[in-house]
Amino acid sequence: MDDYADGLSIPTAGLFLTARDWALVANFIQERINQNNCMGKYLKECTLYVTLEPCQMCAGASYWTQLGKVVYGASEPQRGFVNLQTTLHPKTKVVSGILENECSQLMKRFFIEKRNLN
Protein backbone atom coordinates (compact mmCIF):
# COMPACT_ATOMS: atom_id res chain seq x y z
CA MET A 1 0.00 0.00 0.00
CA ASP A 2 1.20 3.45 -0.80
CA ASP A 3 0.33 6.02 1.84
CA TYR A 4 -0.29 9.59 0.81
CA ALA A 5 -0.08 12.73 2.90
CA ASP A 6 -3.82 13.26 2.61
CA GLY A 7 -4.48 9.89 4.25
CA LEU A 8 -5.50 7.96 1.15
CA SER A 9 -4.00 4.55 0.48
CA ILE A 10 -3.76 2.96 -2.92
CA PRO A 11 -3.02 -0.78 -3.08
CA THR A 12 -0.23 -1.56 -5.53
CA ALA A 13 1.73 -4.34 -3.77
CA GLY A 14 2.34 -7.44 -5.84
CA LEU A 15 1.36 -5.84 -9.11
CA PHE A 16 4.83 -5.95 -10.59
CA LEU A 17 5.30 -9.56 -9.57
CA THR A 18 2.42 -10.86 -11.65
CA ALA A 19 1.93 -8.45 -14.55
CA ARG A 20 3.45 -9.42 -17.90
CA ASP A 21 2.24 -6.46 -19.95
CA TRP A 22 4.23 -3.46 -18.69
CA ALA A 23 2.07 -0.94 -20.53
CA LEU A 24 -0.84 -2.38 -18.58
CA VAL A 25 1.10 -1.90 -15.34
CA ALA A 26 1.74 1.79 -15.98
CA ASN A 27 -1.83 2.40 -17.09
CA PHE A 28 -3.26 0.43 -14.17
CA ILE A 29 -1.30 2.48 -11.64
CA GLN A 30 -2.40 5.73 -13.26
CA GLU A 31 -6.04 4.67 -13.34
CA ARG A 32 -5.93 3.37 -9.76
CA ILE A 33 -4.49 6.67 -8.52
CA ASN A 34 -7.02 8.69 -10.50
CA GLN A 35 -9.99 6.61 -9.33
CA ASN A 36 -9.02 6.65 -5.68
CA ASN A 37 -8.06 10.31 -5.50
CA CYS A 38 -10.68 11.74 -7.87
CA MET A 39 -7.93 13.97 -9.19
CA GLY A 40 -8.80 13.93 -12.87
CA LYS A 41 -6.35 12.89 -15.54
CA TYR A 42 -3.34 14.91 -14.40
CA LEU A 43 -1.18 13.98 -11.40
CA LYS A 44 0.70 17.25 -10.95
CA GLU A 45 0.56 17.01 -7.15
CA CYS A 46 1.58 13.33 -6.93
CA THR A 47 4.96 11.78 -6.26
CA LEU A 48 5.89 8.29 -7.46
CA TYR A 49 8.34 6.49 -5.13
CA VAL A 50 9.99 3.40 -6.65
CA THR A 51 12.94 1.17 -5.84
CA LEU A 52 14.23 1.02 -9.41
CA GLU A 53 14.46 3.71 -12.07
CA PRO A 54 11.29 3.62 -14.18
CA CYS A 55 11.38 2.03 -17.62
CA GLN A 56 10.51 3.83 -20.85
CA MET A 57 6.83 2.89 -20.71
CA CYS A 58 6.34 4.06 -17.15
CA ALA A 59 8.25 7.26 -17.93
CA GLY A 60 5.99 7.78 -20.94
CA ALA A 61 2.89 7.24 -18.82
CA SER A 62 4.22 9.75 -16.29
CA TYR A 63 4.69 12.25 -19.14
CA TRP A 64 1.05 12.02 -20.22
CA THR A 65 -0.27 12.19 -16.65
CA GLN A 66 2.03 15.13 -15.86
CA LEU A 67 3.33 13.42 -12.75
CA GLY A 68 4.73 15.99 -10.33
CA LYS A 69 7.75 14.09 -9.06
CA VAL A 70 9.55 10.76 -9.49
CA VAL A 71 11.79 9.48 -6.68
CA TYR A 72 13.83 6.32 -7.21
CA GLY A 73 16.68 4.52 -5.51
CA ALA A 74 18.69 2.36 -7.90
CA SER A 75 19.48 3.22 -11.51
CA GLU A 76 18.63 0.82 -14.35
CA PRO A 77 21.47 1.35 -16.85
CA GLN A 78 20.04 -0.95 -19.54
CA ARG A 79 16.32 -0.20 -19.58
CA GLY A 80 15.88 2.88 -17.43
CA PHE A 81 14.41 6.06 -18.83
CA VAL A 82 17.57 8.12 -18.20
CA ASN A 83 19.93 6.02 -20.33
CA LEU A 84 17.28 5.59 -23.04
CA GLN A 85 16.75 9.37 -22.99
CA THR A 86 13.00 9.11 -22.51
CA THR A 87 11.45 12.51 -21.94
CA LEU A 88 9.44 13.10 -18.80
CA HIS A 89 7.00 15.97 -18.60
CA PRO A 90 9.03 19.21 -18.44
CA LYS A 91 7.61 20.07 -15.01
CA THR A 92 8.26 16.61 -13.49
CA LYS A 93 11.01 16.73 -10.88
CA VAL A 94 13.32 13.71 -10.57
CA VAL A 95 15.19 12.65 -7.43
CA SER A 96 17.52 9.67 -7.84
CA GLY A 97 19.92 7.70 -5.70
CA ILE A 98 17.80 7.61 -2.53
CA LEU A 99 19.16 4.63 -0.54
CA GLU A 100 20.77 3.52 -3.81
CA ASN A 101 22.87 0.65 -2.39
CA GLU A 102 19.99 -0.74 -0.35
CA CYS A 103 17.61 -0.55 -3.33
CA SER A 104 20.15 -2.20 -5.62
CA GLN A 105 20.72 -5.05 -3.16
CA LEU A 106 16.97 -5.49 -2.69
CA MET A 107 16.45 -5.85 -6.46
CA LYS A 108 19.40 -8.23 -6.85
CA ARG A 109 18.12 -10.42 -4.00
CA PHE A 110 14.61 -10.44 -5.45
CA PHE A 111 15.76 -11.70 -8.86
CA ILE A 112 18.18 -14.26 -7.39
CA GLU A 113 15.32 -15.69 -5.31
CA LYS A 114 12.95 -15.58 -8.28
CA ARG A 115 15.43 -17.53 -10.46
CA ASN A 116 15.96 -20.10 -7.71
CA LEU A 117 12.21 -20.75 -7.46
CA ASN A 118 11.93 -21.70 -11.14
Side-chain angles (χ1 to χ4, degrees), residues 53-56 76-84:
E53 175 186 342
C55 69
Q56 262 187 316
E76 171 48 89
Q78 293 179 342
R79 294 184 178 89
F81 77 94
V82 173
N83 189 48
L84 296 174

Side-chain angles (χ1 to χ4, degrees), residues 47-54 69-76 81-82 88 93-101 103:
T47 299
L48 175 67
Y49 294 91
V50 290
T51 306
L52 189 64
E53 175 186 342
K69 188 179 202 180
V70 175
V71 179
Y72 67 89
S75 295
E76 171 48 89
F81 77 94
V82 173
L88 298 179
K93 294 178 177 74
V94 177
V95 178
S96 62
I98 303 298
L99 298 173
E100 186 171 12
N101 291 334
C103 290

Side-chain angles (χ1 to χ4, degrees), residues 31-85:
E31 287 304 314
R32 178 72 107 190
I33 290 170
N34 289 347
Q35 289 169 2
N36 284 298
N37 287 331
C38 303
M39 297 177 70
K41 66 180 185 176
Y42 297 120
L43 305 175
K44 296 176 185 179
E45 302 299 320
C46 289
T47 299
L48 175 67
Y49 294 91
V50 290
T51 306
L52 189 64
E53 175 186 342
C55 69
Q56 262 187 316
M57 283 193 234
C58 289
S62 76
Y63 179 95
W64 292 110
T65 59
Q66 299 182 17
L67 190 63
K69 188 179 202 180
V70 175
V71 179
Y72 67 89
S75 295
E76 171 48 89
Q78 293 179 342
R79 294 184 178 89
F81 77 94
V82 173
N83 189 48
L84 296 174
Q85 299 178 352

